[in-house]
Amino acid sequence: MSQSQHERQRLAHDPHRPRYHFLPPSMWMNDPNGLTQWRGQYHMFYQYNPHSAAWGYMHWGHAVSSDLVHWRDLPIALSAKPGADKRDGCWSGCFVNHDGVPTIVYTGVDKNVQRPFIATGDANDPDLVHWTNYEGNPVIANPPEGYDQHDFRDHSIWREGDTWYQVIGAGIEGVGGAAALYRSTDLYNWEYLHPLSSGELERDGAIWECPDFFALGDKHVLIYSPLPQCYAVYNVGEYRDHKFVAQATYQLDFPAYFYAPQSFTDDQGRRIMFGWIKEGRSVDAQIEAEWSGVMTLPRLMELGPDGLIHFKPAPEVAQLRQNYQNLGAQNISTDQNIVLDQHSNSCEINISFDLGQAQSFGLDILRSDDGQEFTRIAFEPSSQELIIDRRASSQNEHDDRDIRRHRLIADAEDTLNLRIFIDSSVIEIFANETTCATTRAYPSRASSKGIALFSQGGNTQVSTLEIWDIQAIWP
Ligand code: DQQ
């Protein structure tokens, strides 16, 4: 058994550890990096600290998959130098197919100075195991004048004709977060042009981390993760004269467990995103668990006729379904709780509610047999708010336990469809495809796997209710 399989087996008993969302064998993970499909295989690199379940000494972990769902661990691709400071290492970046040479552009951090670095791999190796740093690193000496000289990191690269373009996450002094645009003919010598886009300090943050820029439908999309807000934002707009003008801006996922997403186009032309799901419990609990950080499911992004990005789990995830239960239509009477027979904390729920007279309706998941512990997902038609209530999610006061309200990005008119993926402590929700909400819950009771439906202030008709158990992706 390999070391990584051993680690996975060692931690598999942990009831809060996800079983079908990707995470490393053990220890800390944050951003997805270098996502690509290379010679048929999907590659996931990720920010990884192999020494602890806390951030620091960043390496690039690495796994491959032939189906976006089952992953095979590979050796660390990029390492922090021995003796590095906690803040030094290999920070986020992207993969580039440089005329057949597999290439990574990332942020090398040395003595807390952040600069663009390049490493190349072996084109004949489908696993892309070996990476060699370019001797001339860094490839850009300093951030441009007028920019914050410290925060200058994370890369998104594309090609137009013979010319490479890249944006780097940055901030302009006194202005706000920005995506600094560069151009190059050889990927190694870069000329600064101007901000592809920049924001207003108060509204859009001081620094934009992890910019991701790509065409979608007949528009362009710029995604970034602003600081200090610490959530991810997507902008749909026009790209002209090498400037991006946003026409619509939305938070990508609610509330803020989802961060630093990255996307890529696969061989089928699909735009696929992964994001980092943070923990919702104390640092001590993470260190004790010996793991921290989870990837979202692979999300397909399409531009809808409404001008919004529509998010769906990649269809490949459906291969993990088993024990299909079609519970058909259900009528929930006002103030009634329908406790279902199903018990699972590793499942997918597809539920559609008709919007009727009820003031609010929804479901309790991760519910204990006595109904004392549960996580409530509710919808209030009058405010169009999705409400995630975790006040009774766990008995541990160090876990996040709050109630949050999020207005849907697109109003639900007649129906609210929720696709809910529960994976131990991860809850990933797709609401009418246009609003995503990801949260965490760490139930204390072993029986907290139940599901109940409720309606308040009027009856609610459920038109579809399907539930599948979801299989683990590791043996
Ligand atoms: N994580 C990386 C940075 C990036 C941040 C460091 C976002 O490159 O800006 O681990 O989570």
Side-chain angles (χ1 to χ4, degrees):
M1 191 186 285
S2 70
Q3 175 68 15
S4 76
Q5 285 166 332
H6 180 263
E7 283 297 273
R8 289 192 183 283
Q9 206 169 70
R10 190 171 68 80
L11 299 177
H13 68 277
D14 181 339
H16 295 133
R17 188 169 155 94
R19 292 182 286 247
Y20 65 90
H21 283 74
F22 177 83
L23 76 178
S26 59
M27 303 306 169
W28 171 273
M29 179 189 77
N30 53 298
D31 319 347
N33 291 154
L35 299 176
T36 192
Q37 189 174 15
W38 174 262
R39 296 178 64 178
Q41 291 199 101
Y42 293 102
H43 287 256
M44 160 108 68
F45 300 89
Y46 53 88
Q47 289 285 283
Y48 180 46
N49 180 1
H51 306 302
S52 155
W55 184 88
Y57 314 101
M58 296 322 301
H59 293 56
W60 275 39
H62 186 192
V64 281
S65 169
S66 54
D67 64 3
L68 275 177
V69 170
H70 297 92
W71 296 91
R72 178 162 55 90
D73 295 311
L74 289 173
I76 287 170
L78 300 173
S79 300
K81 281 193 208 141
D85 176 75
K86 184 178 177 192
R87 291 193 61 81
D88 292 345
C90 308
W91 289 18
S92 288
C94 62
F95 179 94
V96 183
N97 181 344
H98 184 205
D99 296 325
V101 179
T103 302
I104 281 171
V105 180
Y106 70 100
T107 301
V109 185
D110 190 12
K111 302 191 179 57
N112 210 1
V113 174
Q114 305 167 10
R115 294 290 180 266
F117 276 43
I118 289 187
T120 49
D122 172 1
N124 295 317
D125 173 13
D127 281 355
L128 297 176
V129 167
H130 299 290
W131 292 91
T132 308
N133 270 299
Y134 170 55
E135 284 181 358
N137 282 333
V139 294
I140 295 173
N142 294 299
E145 259 179 56
Y147 279 75
D148 182 303
Q149 295 297 299
H150 178 257
D151 293 292
F152 183 61
R153 58 178 177 272
D154 312 334
H155 312 263
S156 172
I157 298 191
W158 67 98
R159 194 173 203 166
E160 294 174 30
D162 288 338
T163 309
W164 294 101
Y165 289 85
Q166 82 159 307
V167 280
I168 300 178
I172 303 176
E173 299 279 1
V175 175
L181 180 66
Y182 285 79
R183 136 176 104 190
S184 169
T185 49
D186 62 3
L187 206 74
Y188 286 79
N189 294 285
W190 292 94
E191 173 198 3
Y192 171 68
L193 295 178
H194 47 250
L196 173 76
S197 172
S198 63
E200 285 175 29
L201 193 58
E202 291 301 317
R203 192 190 58 192
D204 308 310
I207 304 292
W208 288 356
E209 297 190 301
C210 301
D212 189 19
F213 185 62
F214 52 92
L216 195 67
D218 57 359
K219 297 280 182 188
H220 273 76
V221 171
L222 175 65
I223 293 174
Y224 54 81
S225 297
L227 289 179
Q229 285 88 341
C230 259
Y231 49 64
V233 166
Y234 85 77
N235 302 269
V236 178
E238 297 287 343
Y239 175 52
R240 266 193 232 117
D241 302 327
H242 299 110
K243 292 203 168 145
F244 173 76
V245 179
Q247 294 162 325
T249 302
Y250 299 98
Q251 189 171 328
L252 208 161
D253 191 295
F254 297 91
Y257 289 104
F258 172 98
Y259 199 65
Q262 189 179 89
S263 66
F264 70 106
T265 303
D266 79 348
D267 293 350
Q268 299 172 49
R270 306 180 298 174
R271 194 76 197 177
I272 301 170
M273 165 189 283
F274 286 92
W276 162 39
I277 305 175
K278 300 182 187 184
E279 297 299 319
R281 55 181 176 172
S282 69
V283 172
D284 285 350
Q286 295 171 46
I287 290 176
E288 197 181 323
E290 296 184 72
W291 61 274
S292 175
V294 185
M295 282 306 167
T296 59
L297 295 173
R299 294 185 184 177
L300 296 194
M301 287 189 281
E302 283 167 11
L303 191 67
D306 48 10
L308 300 173
I309 302 185
H310 287 234
F311 297 94
K312 279 185 250 186
E316 285 89 336
V317 176
Q319 70 189 280
L320 300 174
R321 289 169 168 173
Q322 59 182 13
N323 303 334
Y324 176 57
Q325 308 264 352
N326 185 349
L327 304 182
Q330 305 261 343
N331 183 39
I332 324 169
S333 305
T334 188
D335 299 327
Q336 187 202 358
N337 253 11
I338 302 182
V339 179
L340 305 181
D341 242 354
Q342 279 63 29
H343 284 82
S344 178
N345 64 352
S346 194
C347 63
E348 175 187 349
I349 304 170
N350 179 34
I351 187 164
S352 294
F353 301 91
D354 294 344
L355 270 56
Q357 302 305 315
Q359 278 159 11
S360 81
F361 55 77
L363 64 173
D364 294 336
I365 57 170
L366 298 174
R367 180 184 186 278
S368 59
D369 287 345
D370 60 6
Q372 296 292 305
E373 195 170 75
F374 60 91
T375 297
R376 173 158 287 195
I377 301 165
F379 183 67
E380 203 177 72
S382 60
S383 62
Q384 290 284 325
E385 284 176 334
L386 189 66
I387 301 157
I388 301 181
D389 184 349
R390 297 182 299 168
R391 290 173 299 175
S393 287
S394 139
Q395 284 154 40
N396 185 340
E397 57 175 321
H398 300 298
D399 295 342
D400 291 355
R401 295 182 303 177
D402 58 9
I403 176 162
R404 298 286 199 109
R405 306 170 72 95
H406 316 294
R407 197 188 158 103
L408 291 186
I409 288 179
D411 283 0
E413 284 170 7
D414 308 313
T415 311
L416 176 74
N417 172 257
L418 299 177
R419 283 185 72 182
I420 303 171
F421 291 85
I422 304 169
D423 190 1
S424 304
S425 56
V426 171
I427 303 163
E428 201 176 342
I429 303 169
F430 298 79
N432 281 355
E433 284 187 3
T434 44
T435 301
C436 297
T438 305
T439 191
R440 304 299 301 266
Y442 304 87
S444 312
R445 302 186 183 198
S447 77
S448 293
K449 298 180 179 179
I451 303 168
L453 311 178
F454 71 88
S455 182
Q456 290 172 342
N459 301 344
T460 295
Q461 185 66 33
V462 169
S463 56
T464 307
L465 176 53
E466 299 174 298
I467 304 178
W468 296 262
D469 288 331
I470 299 288
Q471 286 166 277
I473 57 174
W474 286 282

